[in-house]
Amino acid sequence: MKNILTGDRPTGRLHLGHYFGSLKQRVELQDQYNTYIIIADVQALTDNFDDPDKVRKNVREVALDNLAVGIDPNKTTLFIQSQIPEIAELTIFYSNLVTVSRLFRNPTTKAEVNQKKQVFGNEGESITYGFLGYPVSQAADITAFDADLVPVGDDQLPHIEQTREIVRKFNHIYGETLVEPEAMVGKNSRIKGLDGNEKMGKSLGNAIYLADDEDAITKKIMGAITDPNKIKKDDPANPDICMVYYYHKLVNEKNVDTVCQECKSGSRGCVACKKELIRSMMEFLKPIQARRHYYEEHPELVDQILEEGTKKARERAQETMRRVRQNMKIDYFKN
Ligand code: TRP
Ligand code: SF4
């Protein structure tokens, strides 16, 4: 069986953007691939090093979200990055193979730096060595497990490309050692936010979380952007510029043609349309939230899943590390 590695930064609960970008694919693929899911707390610390409580709390939330969407711990290895020292070790060796200017050119890192500048002003420019280098550590996450495939949202493509470059350079210098991974991007890999922004994001305040309850969903959907030209209930409108229609397409597939027609003809009011979306959204989230609830009620089970997953992941990473040490000629003491 081929290997998958993917995962999330534990900086908050996961939302619909994560679901369509990566979670959905990883659940579907877990039967055909040996799947590893990393809870990337070391990466989360690169820009949250001053808030360890937040990262620790969210390790659990992200574990719950993964289990909630249907990650089956009997098929998939769910583990915590910081508990695998081999990843840190690989990061150091890979850092020799990447130039600082190449790291500065990474478009995702660049976008994150710009976003920080907007929030923190000039202070945002003073990025740390650790933050700049996190794509190198992500290359270690992926290659430690000989991942063939990495299902991710499209914002992660630059990191996978950087990983591939590192692998080629490593194999060229030290001999065939690492597996060159491929990215896999889902068809709805970028979900727009409630405000119509191209990206749904925690920091943008425009996200629908997998764990949102009916009250939260109702508030968010009632406030979503619709066609601004539709003033009266029976005005015809253009669904293609309406966020409510956009989400109908994701979670109300069976009725989406009716929504579209009735919107265009003016026989559907926005309030009724939003109410239908709230019902469909809750229906969509129901099985996810039921599983989350089950695991919330059994915290010791979550602990056990994480502990066993991490142990198994570490053994796998140690195998890769032995090969790396041998080929880098740093296997001084044979064992
Ligand atoms: N950078 C990813 C994110 O922000 C999380 C992540 C860490 C990851 N290591 C990974 C994703 C390895 C895929 C593979 O969502
Ligand atoms: Fe949007 Fe529905 Fe209103 Fe049309 S009727 S503009 S799809 S909320």
Side-chain angles (χ1 to χ4, degrees), residues 5-9 38 40 43 138 141-142 150 152 156 159:
L5 181 125
T6 187
D8 316 279
R9 279 186 208 191
I38 187 167
Q43 189 176 116
Q138 188 157 331
D141 300 340
I142 295 168
V150 189
V152 279
Q156 297 296 304
H159 300 337

Side-chain angles (χ1 to χ4, degrees), residues 12-26:
R13 287 184 167 182
L14 303 183
H15 52 61
L16 284 187
H18 294 110
Y19 182 80
F20 289 103
S22 173
L23 298 171
K24 187 167 184 264
Q25 286 74 259
R26 66 180 80 155

Side-chain angles (χ1 to χ4, degrees), residues 54-125:
K54 169 177 157 189
V55 174
R56 185 177 177 119
K57 178 174 123 254
N58 283 306
V59 165
R60 196 153 195 98
E61 295 296 339
V62 165
L64 285 168
D65 281 327
N66 271 281
L67 294 165
V69 295
I71 287 299
D72 178 348
N74 294 316
K75 297 176 186 160
T76 292
T77 309
L78 186 61
F79 70 98
I80 305 176
Q81 184 187 25
S82 60
Q83 306 309 299
I84 316 284
E86 288 72 18
I87 292 176
E89 241 181 300
L90 287 173
T91 303
I92 296 202
F93 298 136
Y94 296 171
S95 66
N96 295 328
L97 310 179
V98 184
T99 65
V100 174
S101 66
R102 176 67 181 85
L103 288 169
F104 271 116
R105 264 188 279 122
N106 181 311
T108 295
T109 312
K110 253 194 205 164
E112 286 165 341
V113 171
N114 281 334
Q115 209 183 331
K116 276 191 220 305
K117 273 191 215 164
Q118 278 169 17
V119 181
F120 301 112
N122 279 341
E123 225 184 301
E125 280 181 56

Side-chain angles (χ1 to χ4, degrees), residues 168-188:
R168 289 196 290 263
K169 195 152 180 189
F170 191 104
N171 288 346
H172 178 72
I173 296 171
Y174 303 110
E176 215 44 50
T177 315
L178 304 171
V179 174
E180 189 172 331
E182 253 171 76
M184 180 193 194
V185 176
K187 78 174 188 325
N188 288 320

